[in-house]
Every structure is written in C-alpha cells, then in structure tokens.
Amino acid sequence: MDGNRKKKLGVALLGLGTYSTDQLGPALRQTKNCYLAGIISDDRSKEKKWIEDYNISRANVYTMEDFDNIAFNADIDIVYVVLPVFMHKEYTIRAARAGKHVICEKPMAMDVAECLEMIAACESAGKKLSIGYHLHFEPYNLEMMRLGQDKIFGKVLSIESGNGFVISDHPSSWRLKKNLAGGGSLMDMGIYTIQGARYITGEEPMFTTAREEKTRPDMFKEVDETVYFTLEFPTGAIANCVSSFSRNLNYLKAVAEEGWFELTSAFRYDGMSGATSDGPMRFDSDLNQQSVQIDDFAECIIENKISRVSGEEGLKDMKVIEAIYKSIKSGQREAIK
C-alpha cells in the first residue's frame, strides 16, 4: 500500500453486479477519504478484471464462504453490501461482527424487524451503519430538501412523485421473487418516492392509503407491479406517489402556499433537471453522487459523526413500506407506526 492510500479507509464491495460495476467501482476512483481495497464475490470469473482494473491485492479478494476472514484484514475498514435484499441482514451483521463499518444498499432489509436487528448488531459491535441513499448528496435533491424544509415558498401543501421502469428481467430473476426481494416495485422504486416526500417535508408520514395494479399477473405472481399510495404528514401535506415495474416514471414535485418546485428528472445517477415557480434550477447534474456518498461515510468514521443516511433512516422507510403493504391488503387507511 502506498503512502497516499494509508491516509484513506479501505472499502470492500460485497457483490459485483451491475451497480458495483457501473457505479460504485468508478465512484471509488474519485473518492478522497477512501479507496477500493477489496472485493467479495462467488463469481470467480469476475475477479481477474477487478484485480487488474483497480489494482486490488490478491490478499483482499474473498468469496462468500471465507467472508468472515476479513476480520483479520487491516486493509478493509468498510464493507459495502451490494446483494439481493434477502442477504442484507445476514451480511451486515457478519461484517459488523468482523469489526467493519457497513454501507448497505437500499432497501435496507426485508422488513422492520430485520432493520432493527442490523442496527442493534452494528451498535453492539461499535461500528457505523449507513444506507446507500445517494440522492442525499445530489445537488438537485438537496435543493428540494432546502426549499421544502425551510419553507422558501411557504408551507408545503402537496407532493406528487413517481418512479418506475419497464422491467425486462426473466421471471426467475430475484427481483420478481418475494422471498428474495421482499416486494416488487414499491421496495425497489417506490422507496425513492417515499424518501422524496419525507425529505421535502422534513417530517414523518402518519397515515397511508394504497392500492396495487397488475397488468401482467403472469410475470408478477409474487411481487407488486404498480402501487399507488398517499402519505399524510403531520402539518397537513399530502403526497401522492406511484411506483412501477411497467411504466417509465421519474419525477418529484411539491406545491406550496406561495409557489412550486419540481424535478422532472429526479431519481437518476446523473442528468437531473428541475425548476421552481421562480425559474429553472441550475446545478452540476453530472456530480458523482456515489463518490460523495461514500466519502461522507468515511468522514463520519474518521470524525466519529452520525451519517445523515444512517440505519435509522432506512428503518423509517421500511416502516412506511410495511404500512403501505398493509393498506393494500386491508383496503383501508393505515397508520404508520
């Protein structure tokens, strides 16, 4: 390890799928407080390219079987869990017990109970836990937070948000299996709209009413295809949201007492766009969100600060998701507890 790297924290990516390959790996080339130190994957065919592309020491390459041996590796400070949802709890807990800080991809877990176990395990081990909410570090979404929470246009009255894409996965894909993904479009896409409504208002929703729509029941036998839901906030704001695996949606808009503000491209990795009733927003839409996100977590570790996207943030979203699924099942307005 060279002198410059000794000043940085080492990150190991657990799972080498598309998100790690296209987003997290490249982001770790740009980080200032950390670097890609290791990889963990059972796909041995990918090892050679990752080792060569990122100059990773062979000693820092693990499989799922020998994962726990990272406890003896001083090069690795952070494990970034980039696995299907059903594996989040197990590997977050194992990483913490191995003495590593953890970033876990969203959605945090299969349910609220698992979130609580993950938080408790990290606290018990004295390690920090963060969730991969990259939009908390993206300029356009940060502006939506500021405009809403600071009441720049007065009190927020309503929010409209949608996020979705037309899924082309094979029916055997883990995303279409309830026991592997926990749910469908709501867990994968709707979590962004929940986040958007929560961080515009700066409040936690109290009630939800939801319904599910399926146009392809043959594909979506186990998980939800499209979900329409409302969230009711303490100060009276109402958020109307949509998540979908059969529609291309990507927007976030708030109407306030004295104006409006919106992102017409809201939840992407780049290429954001937005405006207010006063005119267009102008920020750097090509900022590497993941790089800033991972750097911030490393800084939290170095300076012993709480992450703005801690495990508790992931838990709050899961409480909303559970209430939405309960409302779909009951057909009634449900409290978010």
XYZ file of all heavy atoms in Angstrom, residues 194-277:
666
model
N -40.937 7.672 -1.505
C -41.125 7.838 -0.060
C -40.065 8.766 0.491
O -40.347 9.709 1.248
C -41.069 6.469 0.648
C -42.259 5.596 0.239
C -41.043 6.648 2.168
C -42.121 4.138 0.646
N -38.828 8.514 0.097
C -37.723 9.375 0.520
C -37.981 10.824 0.103
O -37.825 11.748 0.902
C -36.420 8.892 -0.125
C -35.719 7.794 0.620
C -34.779 8.342 1.668
O -33.860 9.094 1.373
N -35.012 7.976 2.910
N -38.376 11.019 -1.155
C -38.601 12.371 -1.649
C -39.635 13.120 -0.837
O -39.439 14.282 -0.466
N -40.749 12.460 -0.534
C -41.808 13.101 0.259
C -41.319 13.404 1.667
O -41.614 14.468 2.229
C -43.037 12.201 0.302
N -40.566 12.492 2.238
C -40.066 12.690 3.603
C -39.040 13.819 3.659
O -39.043 14.634 4.581
C -39.446 11.389 4.139
C -40.463 10.295 4.464
C -39.798 9.035 5.039
N -38.952 9.380 6.170
C -37.628 9.144 6.216
N -37.015 8.558 5.202
N -36.941 9.498 7.278
N -38.125 13.873 2.683
C -37.094 14.913 2.807
C -37.535 16.268 2.277
O -36.910 17.284 2.580
C -35.725 14.480 2.284
C -35.560 14.034 0.843
C -35.854 14.856 -0.237
C -35.004 12.781 0.576
C -35.624 14.436 -1.533
C -34.767 12.354 -0.718
C -35.078 13.182 -1.770
O -34.843 12.773 -3.062
N -38.607 16.341 1.535
C -39.161 17.667 1.201
C -39.839 18.270 2.426
O -39.635 19.439 2.754
C -40.166 17.569 0.029
C -39.414 17.417 -1.300
C -41.056 18.834 -0.034
C -40.327 17.200 -2.486
N -40.637 17.466 3.108
C -41.363 17.985 4.272
C -40.493 18.050 5.523
O -40.737 18.866 6.411
C -42.576 17.094 4.593
O -42.110 15.762 4.886
C -43.556 17.054 3.432
N -39.490 17.166 5.605
C -38.717 17.060 6.835
C -39.519 16.416 7.952
O -39.179 16.522 9.128
N -40.598 15.731 7.580
C -41.497 15.103 8.555
C -41.641 13.611 8.266
O -41.294 13.140 7.183
C -42.896 15.749 8.474
C -42.935 17.233 8.751
C -44.333 17.812 8.565
O -45.219 17.106 8.026
O -44.538 18.964 8.953
N -42.192 12.904 9.252
C -42.509 11.501 9.070
C -44.009 11.354 8.825
O -44.817 11.899 9.579
C -42.103 10.679 10.298
C -40.614 10.746 10.609
C -39.745 10.371 9.421
O -40.101 9.433 8.678
O -38.706 11.043 9.215
N -44.397 10.642 7.762
C -45.829 10.481 7.476
C -46.537 9.700 8.577
O -45.950 8.819 9.209
C -45.843 9.719 6.153
C -44.526 9.004 6.124
C -43.559 9.913 6.813
N -47.797 10.031 8.785
C -48.585 9.409 9.857
C -49.523 8.313 9.353
O -49.773 7.333 10.041
C -49.402 10.489 10.567
C -48.565 11.577 11.211
S -49.595 12.975 11.746
C -50.661 12.174 12.945
N -50.074 8.512 8.131
C -51.043 7.559 7.591
C -50.782 7.334 6.105
O -50.206 8.189 5.422
C -52.475 8.080 7.767
C -52.886 8.273 9.193
C -52.782 9.522 9.790
C -53.389 7.211 9.945
C -53.150 9.716 11.109
C -53.765 7.397 11.262
C -53.648 8.649 11.852
N -51.228 6.177 5.624
C -51.122 5.883 4.200
C -52.359 5.143 3.721
O -53.003 4.401 4.480
C -49.877 5.044 3.884
O -49.752 4.879 2.465
C -49.944 3.671 4.545
N -52.694 5.372 2.447
C -53.748 4.626 1.768
C -53.156 4.162 0.441
O -52.537 4.963 -0.269
C -54.987 5.499 1.509
O -55.413 6.069 2.746
C -56.115 4.676 0.917
N -53.323 2.886 0.108
C -52.632 2.361 -1.072
C -53.467 1.338 -1.821
O -54.365 0.696 -1.259
C -51.307 1.732 -0.637
N -53.139 1.192 -3.100
C -53.741 0.132 -3.907
C -52.713 -0.353 -4.926
O -51.787 0.379 -5.303
C -54.999 0.620 -4.629
C -54.770 1.682 -5.682
C -56.071 2.123 -6.338
N -55.858 3.173 -7.322
C -55.586 2.951 -8.602
N -55.502 1.696 -9.056
N -55.417 3.960 -9.442
N -52.895 -1.588 -5.355
C -51.970 -2.227 -6.288
C -52.652 -2.468 -7.626
O -53.853 -2.742 -7.681
C -51.480 -3.546 -5.698
C -50.533 -4.327 -6.581
C -50.175 -5.680 -5.994
O -50.635 -6.002 -4.879
O -49.448 -6.429 -6.670
N -51.889 -2.380 -8.706
C -52.400 -2.653 -10.051
C -51.474 -3.646 -10.739
O -50.252 -3.490 -10.704
C -52.451 -1.351 -10.848
C -52.882 -1.510 -12.300
C -52.836 -0.180 -13.029
O -51.758 0.165 -13.571
O -53.851 0.524 -13.036
N -52.058 -4.666 -11.360
C -51.262 -5.637 -12.105
C -51.819 -5.782 -13.510
O -52.963 -6.196 -13.693
C -51.253 -6.992 -11.399
C -50.393 -7.031 -10.149
C -50.194 -8.447 -9.622
C -49.300 -8.413 -8.386
N -49.036 -9.761 -7.835
N -51.010 -5.454 -14.515
C -51.386 -5.636 -15.912
C -50.758 -6.900 -16.486
O -51.165 -7.369 -17.543
C -50.951 -4.425 -16.752
O -49.514 -4.311 -16.713
C -51.573 -3.144 -16.221
N -49.722 -7.414 -15.778
C -49.054 -8.643 -16.219
C -48.972 -9.633 -15.044
O -47.895 -9.910 -14.525
C -47.652 -8.323 -16.740
C -47.630 -7.506 -18.023
C -46.224 -7.265 -18.506
N -45.523 -6.336 -17.617
C -44.200 -6.101 -17.686
N -43.459 -6.757 -18.556
N -43.639 -5.236 -16.871
N -50.117 -10.166 -14.638
C -50.129 -11.066 -13.480
C -49.304 -12.323 -13.685
O -48.867 -12.951 -12.725
C -51.615 -11.399 -13.312
C -52.237 -11.106 -14.628
C -51.477 -9.970 -15.190
N -49.055 -12.700 -14.960
C -48.229 -13.870 -15.220
C -46.785 -13.640 -14.787
O -46.122 -14.553 -14.274
C -48.265 -14.224 -16.715
C -47.875 -13.040 -17.593
O -48.211 -11.888 -17.233
O -47.238 -13.271 -18.637
N -46.285 -12.418 -14.966
C -44.915 -12.090 -14.553
C -44.855 -11.729 -13.070
O -43.930 -12.109 -12.358
C -44.357 -10.932 -15.386
C -42.980 -10.453 -14.919
S -42.200 -9.248 -16.012
C -41.510 -10.358 -17.262
N -45.859 -10.996 -12.608
C -45.845 -10.509 -11.227
C -46.743 -11.375 -10.341
O -47.691 -10.903 -9.738
C -46.263 -9.036 -11.190
C -45.329 -8.143 -11.964
C -45.624 -7.760 -13.261
C -44.131 -7.731 -11.407
C -44.754 -6.958 -13.989
C -43.249 -6.930 -12.111
C -43.559 -6.547 -13.413
N -46.397 -12.646 -10.285
C -47.167 -13.585 -9.477
C -46.909 -13.384 -7.989
O -47.792 -13.594 -7.161
C -46.815 -15.024 -9.866
C -47.221 -15.406 -11.275
C -46.769 -16.824 -11.603
C -47.147 -17.207 -13.029
N -46.655 -18.571 -13.381
N -45.683 -12.987 -7.657
C -45.283 -12.927 -6.255
C -45.112 -11.511 -5.719
O -45.252 -11.282 -4.523
C -43.966 -13.690 -6.052
C -44.038 -15.163 -6.387
C -42.746 -15.883 -6.085
O -41.987 -15.422 -5.192
O -42.476 -16.915 -6.728
N -44.794 -10.561 -6.605
C -44.499 -9.202 -6.139
C -45.374 -8.186 -6.843
O -46.008 -8.473 -7.860
C -43.006 -8.845 -6.355
C -42.106 -9.813 -5.588
C -42.646 -8.841 -7.839
N -45.404 -6.976 -6.301
C -46.240 -5.912 -6.846
C -45.637 -5.319 -8.117
O -44.437 -5.119 -8.224
C -46.431 -4.812 -5.796
C -45.148 -4.406 -5.104
O -44.665 -5.182 -4.246
O -44.616 -3.326 -5.395
N -46.507 -5.025 -9.069
C -46.104 -4.416 -10.345
C -46.167 -2.895 -10.263
O -45.185 -2.200 -10.490
C -46.999 -4.921 -11.467
C -46.718 -4.296 -12.819
C -47.721 -4.720 -13.886
O -48.502 -5.673 -13.659
O -47.722 -4.091 -14.954
N -47.349 -2.364 -9.949
C -47.534 -0.919 -9.801
C -48.316 -0.666 -8.520
O -49.313 -1.329 -8.246
C -48.304 -0.327 -11.001
O -47.541 -0.547 -12.198
C -48.536 1.159 -10.823
N -47.846 0.306 -7.737
C -48.518 0.660 -6.480
C -48.781 2.169 -6.471
O -47.891 2.974 -6.751
C -47.653 0.280 -5.250
C -48.335 0.756 -3.963
C -47.431 -1.225 -5.211
N -50.033 2.525 -6.168
C -50.424 3.932 -5.980
C -50.661 4.131 -4.482
O -51.403 3.360 -3.865
C -51.722 4.227 -6.738
C -51.652 3.996 -8.224
C -51.934 2.734 -8.758
C -51.310 5.021 -9.100
C -51.880 2.505 -10.122
C -51.255 4.803 -10.467
C -51.539 3.548 -10.966
O -51.479 3.321 -12.326
N -50.043 5.153 -3.896
C -50.239 5.357 -2.462
C -50.166 6.838 -2.100
O -49.521 7.640 -2.791
C -49.215 4.552 -1.644
C -47.765 4.891 -1.900
C -47.088 5.786 -1.084
C -47.071 4.289 -2.942
C -45.747 6.080 -1.298
C -45.725 4.575 -3.166
C -45.067 5.474 -2.340
N -50.865 7.172 -1.048
C -50.803 8.520 -0.494
C -50.162 8.459 0.881
O -50.290 7.458 1.608
C -52.201 9.153 -0.352
O -52.975 8.366 0.558
C -52.900 9.224 -1.690
N -49.470 9.526 1.236
C -48.879 9.678 2.566
C -49.402 10.969 3.165
O -49.407 12.012 2.500
C -47.349 9.742 2.470
C -46.635 8.549 1.825
C -45.140 8.830 1.711
C -46.888 7.276 2.619
N -49.840 10.892 4.398
C -50.366 12.068 5.107
C -49.365 12.502 6.177
O -48.978 11.702 7.035
C -51.705 11.731 5.763
C -52.769 11.252 4.792
C -54.021 10.795 5.508
O -54.427 11.445 6.496
O -54.599 9.756 5.105
N -48.963 13.789 6.116
C -47.948 14.312 7.018
C -48.560 15.149 8.136
O -49.673 15.689 7.982
C -46.919 15.117 6.228
C -46.039 14.257 5.356
C -46.433 13.918 4.063
C -44.846 13.765 5.839
C -45.637 13.106 3.266
C -44.035 12.965 5.051
C -44.431 12.630 3.763
N -47.866 15.292 9.255
C -48.413 15.977 10.436
C -48.920 17.391 10.188
O -49.928 17.804 10.776
C -47.244 15.972 11.422
C -46.440 14.784 11.053
C -46.539 14.695 9.559
N -48.225 18.158 9.325
C -48.642 19.550 9.103
C -49.675 19.690 7.991
O -50.009 20.805 7.584
C -47.426 20.436 8.803
O -46.672 19.875 7.723
C -46.524 20.560 10.023
N -50.169 18.556 7.479
C -51.248 18.602 6.500
C -50.872 18.304 5.067
O -51.754 18.141 4.218
N -49.590 18.231 4.762
C -49.178 17.924 3.388
C -49.598 16.500 3.015
O -49.552 15.590 3.843
C -47.665 18.064 3.243
N -50.014 16.336 1.758
C -50.401 15.035 1.231
C -49.485 14.703 0.052
O -49.318 15.518 -0.862
C -51.857 15.022 0.733
C -52.818 15.397 1.865
C -52.210 13.659 0.147
C -52.898 14.382 2.979
N -48.871 13.521 0.084
C -48.033 13.071 -1.026
C -48.761 11.972 -1.783
O -49.207 10.980 -1.182
C -46.702 12.555 -0.509
N -48.908 12.147 -3.092
C -49.486 11.128 -3.968
C -48.359 10.512 -4.788
O -47.711 11.204 -5.591
C -50.524 11.762 -4.893
C -51.714 12.309 -4.123
O -52.399 11.570 -3.423
N -51.957 13.604 -4.232
N -48.118 9.240 -4.586
C -46.940 8.593 -5.157
C -47.303 7.351 -5.973
O -48.325 6.709 -5.733
C -45.968 8.191 -4.049
S -45.476 9.548 -2.952
N -46.408 7.030 -6.917
C -46.566 5.841 -7.755
C -45.214 5.144 -7.876
O -44.186 5.801 -8.079
C -47.043 6.190 -9.184
C -47.355 4.914 -9.961
C -48.218 7.129 -9.172
N -45.234 3.823 -7.748
C -44.058 3.028 -8.082
C -44.481 2.005 -9.120
O -45.621 1.537 -9.104
C -43.506 2.305 -6.846
O -44.407 1.305 -6.400
N -43.573 1.666 -10.047
C -43.999 0.757 -11.108
C -42.850 -0.021 -11.724
O -41.729 0.486 -11.836
C -44.719 1.536 -12.208
O -45.231 0.663 -13.198
N -43.152 -1.250 -12.115
C -42.261 -2.060 -12.936
C -42.806 -2.174 -14.358
O -42.344 -3.009 -15.141
C -42.111 -3.464 -12.345
C -41.043 -3.593 -11.283
C -41.065 -4.653 -10.390
C -39.990 -2.685 -11.190
C -40.077 -4.808 -9.422
C -39.004 -2.821 -10.224
C -39.044 -3.890 -9.336
N -43.805 -1.353 -14.699
C -44.374 -1.422 -16.045
C -44.542 -0.040 -16.682
O -45.084 0.066 -17.777
C -45.735 -2.124 -16.013
O -46.652 -1.405 -15.212
N -44.068 1.004 -16.003
C -44.151 2.373 -16.532
C -42.851 3.111 -16.254
O -42.248 2.936 -15.194
C -45.315 3.140 -15.873
C -46.686 2.579 -16.170
C -47.732 3.203 -15.284
N -47.790 4.660 -15.404
C -48.472 5.466 -14.594
N -49.155 4.937 -13.582
N -48.475 6.768 -14.774
N -42.433 3.936 -17.188
C -41.246 4.760 -17.002
C -41.654 6.067 -16.320
O -42.331 6.904 -16.921
C -40.572 5.048 -18.349
C -39.971 3.801 -18.960
O -39.283 3.041 -18.278
N -40.219 3.576 -20.240
N -41.277 6.216 -15.069
C -41.640 7.376 -14.255
C -40.402 7.888 -13.525
O -39.572 7.095 -13.081
C -42.705 6.991 -13.218
C -43.992 6.342 -13.713
C -44.765 5.744 -12.537
C -44.841 7.368 -14.457
N -40.299 9.212 -13.416
C -39.141 9.759 -12.706
C -39.386 11.242 -12.422
O -38.869 12.105 -13.114
C -37.870 9.583 -13.536
C -36.609 9.769 -12.725
O -36.465 10.758 -12.023
N -35.680 8.827 -12.834
N -40.190 11.549 -11.402
C -40.500 12.955 -11.117
C -40.788 13.158 -9.635
O -41.163 12.225 -8.913
C -41.705 13.427 -11.949
C -42.991 12.675 -11.649
C -43.861 13.099 -10.648
C -43.337 11.541 -12.379
C -45.044 12.413 -10.372
C -44.511 10.848 -12.111
C -45.357 11.283 -11.109
O -46.519 10.605 -10.833
N -40.599 14.390 -9.201
C -40.853 14.779 -7.817
C -41.258 16.248 -7.826
O -40.482 17.108 -8.250
C -39.582 14.588 -6.970
C -39.638 14.999 -5.495
C -40.664 14.168 -4.732
C -38.253 14.839 -4.852
N -42.487 16.554 -7.403
C -42.986 17.932 -7.443
C -43.688 18.277 -6.144
O -44.422 17.468 -5.580
C -43.968 18.121 -8.608
C -44.520 19.552 -8.695
C -45.374 19.775 -9.930
C -45.855 21.222 -10.010
N -46.625 21.495 -11.246
N -43.446 19.495 -5.673
C -44.110 19.991 -4.471
C -44.833 21.297 -4.775
O -44.298 22.173 -5.463
C -43.084 20.220 -3.364
N -46.050 21.424 -4.273
C -46.818 22.668 -4.357
C -46.917 23.238 -2.954
O -47.321 22.547 -2.011
C -48.227 22.420 -4.937
C -49.051 23.702 -4.899
C -48.121 21.875 -6.358
N -46.531 24.504 -2.818
C -46.551 25.175 -1.516
C -47.505 26.354 -1.547
O -48.133 26.640 -2.581
C -45.146 25.620 -1.134
N -47.614 27.053 -0.448
C -48.567 28.176 -0.339
C -48.262 29.292 -1.331
O -49.171 29.961 -1.829
C -48.530 28.739 1.081
C -49.018 27.776 2.143
C -48.750 28.298 3.550
O -47.596 28.693 3.828
O -49.694 28.309 4.362
N -46.978 29.496 -1.655
C -46.606 30.651 -2.473
C -45.824 30.281 -3.725
O -45.163 31.142 -4.321
C -45.777 31.619 -1.618
C -46.522 32.127 -0.387
C -45.596 32.818 0.604
O -44.453 33.134 0.220
O -46.017 33.014 1.754
N -45.912 29.027 -4.136
C -45.181 28.620 -5.336
C -45.022 27.118 -5.414
O -45.630 26.374 -4.648
N -44.206 26.673 -6.358
C -43.969 25.247 -6.543
C -42.501 25.005 -6.884
O -41.782 25.913 -7.310
C -44.870 24.674 -7.640
C -44.762 25.378 -8.962
C -45.555 26.397 -9.423
C -43.779 25.146 -9.987
N -45.141 26.815 -10.676
C -44.048 26.044 -11.044
C -42.714 24.266 -10.134
C -43.279 26.106 -12.211
C -41.939 24.314 -11.290
C -42.240 25.222 -12.315
N -42.081 23.757 -6.720
C -40.725 23.369 -7.114
C -40.744 21.898 -7.488
O -41.477 21.099 -6.903
C -39.699 23.658 -6.013
C -40.102 23.285 -4.614
C -39.598 22.147 -3.994
C -40.984 24.098 -3.886
C -39.952 21.813 -2.695
C -41.347 23.767 -2.580
C -40.834 22.615 -1.987
N -39.949 21.530 -8.503
C -40.046 20.174 -9.020
C -38.746 19.709 -9.655
O -37.903 20.514 -10.074
C -41.161 20.084 -10.061
C -40.849 20.827 -11.348
C -41.929 20.633 -12.409
O -42.787 19.741 -12.235
O -41.903 21.363 -13.416
N -38.607 18.396 -9.719
C -37.563 17.750 -10.505
C -38.264 16.916 -11.562
O -39.036 16.010 -11.235
C -36.683 16.852 -9.624
C -35.931 17.541 -8.485
C -35.056 16.525 -7.741
C -35.094 18.695 -8.986
N -38.025 17.246 -12.813
C -38.618 16.476 -13.901
C -37.761 15.250 -14.227
O -38.188 14.361 -14.952
C -38.784 17.351 -15.154
O -37.547 18.020 -15.411
C -39.877 18.383 -14.935
N -36.555 15.236 -13.713
C -35.696 14.054 -13.701
C -35.130 14.003 -12.298
O -34.240 14.776 -11.944
C -34.574 14.177 -14.736
O -33.715 13.062 -14.669
N -35.681 13.108 -11.474
C -35.458 13.237 -10.030
C -34.556 12.192 -9.404
O -33.813 12.496 -8.474
C -36.824 13.190 -9.315
N -34.611 10.959 -9.873
C -34.005 9.858 -9.122
C -32.930 9.111 -9.896
O -32.696 7.931 -9.665
C -35.101 8.867 -8.691
C -36.252 9.517 -7.959
C -37.542 9.447 -8.470
C -36.052 10.198 -6.776
C -38.611 10.038 -7.801
C -37.109 10.797 -6.103
C -38.390 10.714 -6.619
N -32.255 9.793 -10.792
C -31.239 9.152 -11.618
C -29.852 9.267 -10.964
O -29.679 9.912 -9.934
C -31.211 9.786 -13.004
C -32.559 9.750 -13.712
C -32.425 10.231 -15.141
N -33.738 10.458 -15.759
C -34.531 9.510 -16.218
N -34.164 8.253 -16.127
N -35.701 9.801 -16.767
N -28.871 8.647 -11.620
C -27.491 8.754 -11.154
C -26.817 10.019 -11.694
O -25.800 10.465 -11.170
C -26.686 7.534 -11.590
C -27.227 6.227 -11.057
C -27.231 5.093 -11.860
C -27.733 6.120 -9.774
C -27.721 3.884 -11.384
C -28.232 4.919 -9.284
C -28.222 3.804 -10.098
O -28.710 2.612 -9.627
N -27.397 10.584 -12.758
C -26.885 11.838 -13.324
C -27.977 12.418 -14.224
O -29.055 11.845 -14.364
C -25.578 11.623 -14.106
C -25.702 10.554 -15.176
O -26.804 10.370 -15.735
O -24.700 9.883 -15.462
N -27.708 13.566 -14.817
C -28.660 14.167 -15.745
C -29.930 14.679 -15.113
O -30.994 14.670 -15.734
N -29.848 15.165 -13.876
C -31.029 15.712 -13.202
C -31.475 17.013 -13.865
O -30.686 17.719 -14.487
C -30.721 15.984 -11.729
C -30.199 14.799 -10.958
S -31.412 13.483 -10.838
C -30.617 12.432 -9.633
N -32.750 17.339 -13.679
C -33.259 18.627 -14.153
C -34.404 19.052 -13.254
O -35.154 18.212 -12.744
C -33.740 18.534 -15.600
O -34.769 17.575 -15.729
N -34.536 20.369 -13.045
C -35.590 20.849 -12.164
C -35.850 22.323 -12.329
O -35.110 23.045 -13.001
N -36.922 22.779 -11.702
C -37.312 24.186 -11.792
C -38.183 24.538 -10.596
O -38.678 23.656 -9.883
C -38.065 24.453 -13.095
N -38.375 25.837 -10.397
C -39.300 26.337 -9.394
C -40.223 27.338 -10.076
O -40.026 27.691 -11.246
C -38.569 27.036 -8.233
O -38.140 28.333 -8.669
C -37.367 26.236 -7.758
N -41.200 27.826 -9.344
C -42.092 28.836 -9.906
C -41.340 30.137 -10.182
O -41.855 31.017 -10.877
C -43.272 29.091 -8.959
O -42.842 29.235 -7.619
